[in-house]
Amino acid sequence: MSVIPFDEREGTIWFDGVLVPWREAKIHVLSHGLHYGSAVFEGERAYGGRIFKSHEHAERLLRSAQYLDFTIPYGVTEIEAAKELVLKTSGLTDAYLRPVAWRGSEMMGVSAQNNTIHLAVAAWEWPSYFDPETKMKGIRLDMADYRRPDPRTIPSASKAAGLYMICTISKHRAENKGYADALMLDWEDYVAECTGANIFFIKDGVVHTPLADRFLNGITRQTVIDLAHRRGFEVIERRIKPEEMEGFSECFITGSAAEVTPVSEIGPYRFTPAAMTKTLMDDYTAEVQPKAVAA
């Protein structure tokens, strides 16, 4: 399948407060964010013309920047307006949005306190992260070689670009072995998350998920926990040992890109997507759709 490179697409991108032609949205090769990972971003979806949890994503973007010791020169309201404008001018109703902020190129070195902070927002059509047929069967996950780092070494609560370096490595290795993604453990060898999604397990009608204090507490993760509670499902957030996966019957991952995707295999462990996973998939699909406004 032919894929149009992202720097050769048509459309407009919101760049530091101005809509610019897609192909002209460029930065200098000596931008600090490129060399030192001083960049943060969000991944969001719009359904039926409405950006799901846009406010929460904008707030998290600002918090992520603060964790990296820089301030984005726009507030939540301005960021939300920028996303709405990009979505409108793109002509898309169902889309993926990518706000990204980074340190510019005034200083090149570890210290860059006077560098300009830039913000850009792009939107494009992106269907489900996994194709429907694969999704209903459950995807296969490899076990990643790299661990999620100790929060004492990195700002794990931020959606920082640099934290995804080992995610890219791990996903590439998994794909090269025929898997869709990889499950990462934390530095103490407890189950953590996938390369771009949080993970859930089901056993005896109870939902189990790793405690999100060592990696990003995803907005989709929080949404699914809320949906499970509405259904009356018990949700336990705790440390999970890898060998416990042998006793779980169902497994699924969550993320803005992945949405709710069943898992059939993680390394030597097998799962069967069943009723509870399907219920939460359907509930999430219903939740993200725009709600009709009463007359």
Side-chain angles (χ1 to χ4, degrees), residues 1-5 9:
M1 182 179 65
S2 176
V3 177
I4 302 173
R9 300 191 177 201

Side-chain angles (χ1 to χ4, degrees), residues 29-292:
V29 70
L30 294 181
S31 291
H32 194 274
L34 175 63
H35 292 257
Y36 295 98
S38 55
V40 296
F41 69 97
E42 285 295 314
E44 310 177 39
R45 280 192 185 271
Y47 300 87
R50 183 179 73 98
I51 302 169
F52 184 62
K53 297 204 170 177
S54 176
H55 188 82
E56 290 88 336
H57 279 285
E59 288 183 324
R60 188 172 69 181
L61 183 71
L62 294 175
R63 285 199 305 273
S64 292
Q66 290 171 355
Y67 283 125
L68 268 64
D69 198 31
F70 67 80
T71 300
I72 296 173
Y74 301 94
V76 169
T77 301
E78 293 169 296
I79 294 171
E80 286 193 86
K83 291 186 288 185
E84 294 289 348
L85 181 60
V86 168
L87 186 63
K88 180 180 179 180
T89 57
S90 73
L92 299 172
T93 55
D94 297 311
Y96 184 84
L97 292 98
R98 172 55 58 90
V100 57
W102 67 97
R103 283 193 175 97
S105 54
E106 287 82 1
M107 298 176 67
M108 178 47 60
V110 172
S111 178
Q113 298 196 41
N114 296 321
N115 285 30
T116 300
I117 305 303
H118 300 276
L119 175 66
V121 180
W124 61 90
E125 186 176 9
W126 191 6
S128 180
Y129 206 39
F130 302 103
D131 68 82
E133 184 178 352
T134 300
K135 194 169 183 177
M136 293 308 298
K137 291 179 179 178
I139 62 171
R140 299 171 61 243
L141 306 180
D142 191 19
M143 293 296 297
D145 296 323
Y146 287 106
R147 302 314 196 234
R148 297 311 297 163
D150 186 332
R152 291 172 296 183
T153 69
I154 47 93
S156 60
S158 68
K159 195 169 178 67
L163 298 182
Y164 283 80
M165 178 188 69
I166 57 175
C167 296
T168 296
I169 295 170
S170 299
K171 189 170 178 68
H172 285 180
R173 289 181 180 179
E175 290 176 340
N176 289 338
K177 291 190 284 185
Y179 294 93
D181 202 347
L183 175 66
M184 307 183 80
L185 305 180
D186 66 23
W187 85 100
E188 289 187 323
D189 287 341
Y190 289 105
V191 173
E193 59 179 346
C194 292
T195 63
N198 294 123
I199 193 161
F200 290 78
F201 302 96
I202 296 173
K203 179 180 180 180
D204 298 330
V206 177
V207 180
H208 300 255
T209 191
L211 189 63
D213 60 350
R214 300 178 168 190
F215 49 83
L216 193 69
N217 183 8
I219 290 172
T220 307
R221 176 185 184 275
Q222 296 171 50
T223 301
V224 169
I225 289 174
D226 179 56
L227 292 171
H229 286 153
R230 289 189 224 167
R231 282 282 181 181
F233 297 160
E234 182 181 2
V235 179
I236 299 175
E237 300 178 68
R238 64 179 180 85
R239 306 275 183 249
I240 298 174
K241 298 178 180 179
E243 56 267 28
E244 291 185 69
M245 289 192 286
E246 185 173 5
F248 294 124
S249 58
E250 299 179 58
C251 176
F252 61 89
I253 63 173
T254 65
S256 292
E259 299 171 301
V260 178
T261 297
V263 173
S264 62
E265 177 182 330
I266 303 177
Y269 306 106
R270 303 292 182 268
F271 312 93
T272 302
M276 286 182 68
T277 297
K278 182 66 163 57
T279 294
L280 291 171
M281 284 178 62
D282 292 343
D283 286 354
Y284 184 77
T285 298
E287 184 73 9
V288 300
Q289 297 303 319
K291 305 300 185 291

